[in-house]
Amino acid sequence: MQTCGSLVRSTIARALKPDPNRVVSEWADDERYLTTEGSHVAGRWVTDRVPYQRGIMDALSPSDHAIRVVVKKGSRAGVSECGNNAIGCWIDDSPGPILASYPNEAMATRVSKIKIGPMIDSCPSLRAKVASPRSRD
């Protein structure tokens, strides 16, 4: 059993511990699992399967100095997954408020239920940090 003083010290030590210095592509390779719910290929995320996404994801990393990331691409190039991986990395390694914008509420709800929710459910590190949504949310 911890004493009050040791509990306070351990809490302060955890609060002062710096964020991990992983880039988004490293986080995705370490933590991300694709589900059949949100992907055609289930299993561990492997950035080397989509090497052109590495630079995009790494530019979205908390440690990168980019202010704006602009991507010129064709359709179905997987850039949405780069954003999802960034969200997962931010939740896991650098928690704080996140705002993701979508063109309308229906699309935001769809992405939340089909992509973000399954990503959180399939990653133990995220599942431990994100509360389950309530029915009214």
Side-chain angles (χ1 to χ4, degrees), residues 28-128:
D29 288 335
D30 292 345
E31 308 290 343
R32 179 85 192 270
Y33 289 90
L34 299 170
T35 63
T36 53
E37 221 177 316
S39 173
H40 297 292
V41 180
R44 203 174 240 320
W45 175 275
V46 179
T47 302
D48 286 338
R49 287 185 193 148
V50 284
Y52 57 90
Q53 292 179 353
R54 185 178 306 279
I56 298 166
M57 287 190 283
D58 292 352
L60 296 170
S61 300
S63 60
D64 194 277
H65 298 293
I67 295 170
R68 179 178 294 156
V69 178
V70 178
V71 179
K72 185 174 182 178
K73 64 167 193 73
S75 65
R76 313 250 337 136
V79 175
S80 297
E81 289 303 323
C82 294
N84 295 340
N85 287 339
I87 289 170
C89 180
W90 300 335
I91 291 170
D92 200 10
D93 289 353
S94 302
I98 298 170
L99 173 65
S101 314
Y102 295 94
N104 55 52
E105 187 176 349
M107 182 172 275
T109 301
R110 182 175 176 269
V111 168
S112 176
K113 289 184 180 186
I114 293 174
K115 296 289 186 179
I116 304 297
M119 177 180 69
I120 291 168
D121 292 340
S122 68
C123 295
S125 62
L126 296 180
R127 203 172 40 241

